[in-house]
Every structure is written in C-alpha cells, then in structure tokens.
Amino acid sequence: MKKILAVDDSASMRQMVGFTLKTAGFDVTEACNGDEALTQAKSQDYDLVISDVNMPVMDGITLIRNLRSLPNYKFTPLLMLTTESGSEKKQEGRSAGATGWIVKPFNPDQLLATVNKVLR
C-alpha cells in the first residue's frame, strides 16, 4: 500500500484529501503545517507528499525545498494543492522541486488521477 503525507493547515481540507485517498486504498498520514510534515517525513518514508502552499510555521514551498534536501526524498513526487493558480507561484514551486500543482477546490477524481499518474 502506497503511503501519502497530506499537509494542509485547514482541517476540512486535510479530511477531504485524506478521505478521497483512503477510499482509493492509500495509507494517509496528515500534518497541519510544513514543520510537522518535515518531522513526519524524517521519521518514515512516504511515496508521495501533497502539500498546501500557504500555511503557518512553514509554508509548502519551504517544505518542498527541505524535503528535496533529504536523500530519501530526492525523487519522491511532491504535489502542491493550493488556491494559488498564478504562474509566479507555480514557478517558485517548480524551482523548489514540486512535481505538480493541483488547484483548490479540487475534484476528487482529478486528485486521484494526478496521484495515480505520479505514483506509476
């Protein structure tokens, strides 16, 4: 079973992402900010990390930079899930090492299609 780390400061968004992925058979761990997610990622390996961009404590782009600096996460798919659809933020995410970008509000089928695509 593939392990996914879902990171968002919104509890309802974490629940929605978690529910969608668990229903599809994934093992999901939730974190409420980048700092908490980084601690989780250092304690166990995940097959995919899905993170919001705008969060307190540590934002998603800083989280991605930190994850990419860890040997176990050099090639792990890292998806941004955010309301930010501007090309500037997307470029910043890509530069940090993001694999892809999903704009909120998301469609559960679209989320699963993207997750399945990057996990192949």
Side-chain angles (χ1 to χ4, degrees), residues 4-59:
I4 299 176
L5 179 58
V7 192
D8 202 305
D9 57 324
S10 158
S12 59
M13 187 53 69
R14 280 196 313 276
Q15 287 168 343
M16 222 159 62
V17 170
F19 178 77
T20 301
L21 297 171
K22 285 174 190 166
T23 304
F26 294 103
D27 179 5
V28 182
T29 301
E30 297 175 5
C32 61
N33 62 54
D35 192 49
E36 190 181 299
L38 192 58
T39 302
Q40 293 273 10
K42 286 177 178 174
S43 69
Q44 69 173 315
D45 290 344
Y46 292 93
D47 299 296
L48 168 66
V49 179
I50 300 175
S51 177
D52 185 18
V53 171
N54 300 310
M55 296 180 289
V57 188
M58 181 191 296
D59 68 81

Side-chain angles (χ1 to χ4, degrees), residues 44-102:
Q44 69 173 315
D45 290 344
Y46 292 93
D47 299 296
L48 168 66
V49 179
I50 300 175
S51 177
D52 185 18
V53 171
N54 300 310
M55 296 180 289
V57 188
M58 181 191 296
D59 68 81
I61 293 187
T62 305
L63 169 64
I64 285 184
R65 275 197 200 101
N66 280 304
L67 287 172
R68 285 293 183 225
S69 72
L70 301 172
N72 295 358
Y73 288 91
K74 285 217 183 305
F75 305 106
T76 302
L78 306 175
L79 295 175
M80 303 305 302
L81 178 65
T82 181
T83 53
E84 298 272 352
S85 58
S87 57
E88 198 176 293
K89 271 288 184 204
K90 282 185 185 173
Q91 189 51 52
E92 197 181 339
R94 266 192 219 100
S95 301
T99 310
W101 202 269
I102 302 168

